[in-house]
Amino acid sequence: FVCILKVCGQLRLIERGLSIHTEIVQNGFDKDSYVESCLIDMYAKCGFLVEAQDLLNELQVQSLISWTALMGGYVEYGYGKEALACISEMRLQGLFPNSITFMYALKACMIVPSIKDGQEFHMDLVKIGFEKDSFISSALVEMYAKCGYLMEFQKVFVEVPRRDIVLWNALIVGYIECKLHEEALRSLKQMQIEGVEADVASWNTLFLGFSEHGDYDKAHELYARMLDQALLPDSTSFVGVLKACGNKATLRLGRIIHAQINGINELDSGGLIIGAALVDMYCKCSMLLKARETIKELHIRDVVSWNALIDGYAEQGQCHEALDCVRLMKMEGASPNAITFTCILKACAKTG
């Protein structure tokens, strides 16, 4: 049962997980504390957080493992305050967090954000000697950066004696969070000087940061430099560089990226997010026919990809075409959301 529950959680197979839960109860294993913790973990990973919390509340003995599993679910789905409440309740029960619990706690501080809680956790980590752990120190760097505490995340980084790729990437993310893009770029150069090779995540963070900052030329340059390092782009890479191809001057590069995506069949593995980015890119370049052609080629079309096309029509004031897209997406079983209706209103307003 334990192995199957772990698979259900990792693959978000909630229906299968519910079936296994029924079998566990029928076979009398629902009183086993470890099995119960695995059930909590499965529900939490699948986003069924109320069910996970209810299960934990029913436990006669609430273990560190069960609390940490629930915290992981709250953090993954963006419920920072609930995750921090978990760690408070744990401590009231006399349970002390382990390294995984602290990781979730620091991530929860980023979500809220709460520098006060983050600093308290930092002090706890120093007391038990966890702060030099690569993953913990990386989470501390990101937490301080997310809360805007530049000197603190730099201090954490400097105090770690052996800095690996995980920590360097956290530093780069930190500088991007603080909008210090040139510092992030200098960090990439310094890590290479120190013998740590940048990975795809390093480059992705950089050109996404420059792209969001509006420095599209720099984003394109960094993407090209990543390719020169013989690193294969992933879905995040493609989405990032496509965001930097939002006008007619960059359309040629956008078409090249599209060809690269087709060349490695990336639309099959990362189809939804990349497909939406392609549609959005063509719309921003005023290539609405190409955008519509692209969405037709997608194996799966969700509300995000449809919204990208609808917004493209809205920007051009083509209300009828935008409404036609809504009709088509409904026929395919995709439900319009608040963004869809905002785009429709914009289209109608521009049409007059």
Side-chain angles (χ1 to χ4, degrees), residues 16-26 36 39 43 55:
R16 180 62 175 148
L18 290 167
S19 175
I20 296 299
H21 190 174
T22 302
E23 289 184 41
I24 286 169
V25 173
Q26 290 172 346
E36 285 287 276
L39 274 168
Y43 279 117
L55 267 176

Side-chain angles (χ1 to χ4, degrees), residues 72-84:
Y74 279 131
V75 167
E76 186 170 353
Y77 288 92
Y79 294 95
K81 288 182 180 178
E82 289 76 3
L84 292 175

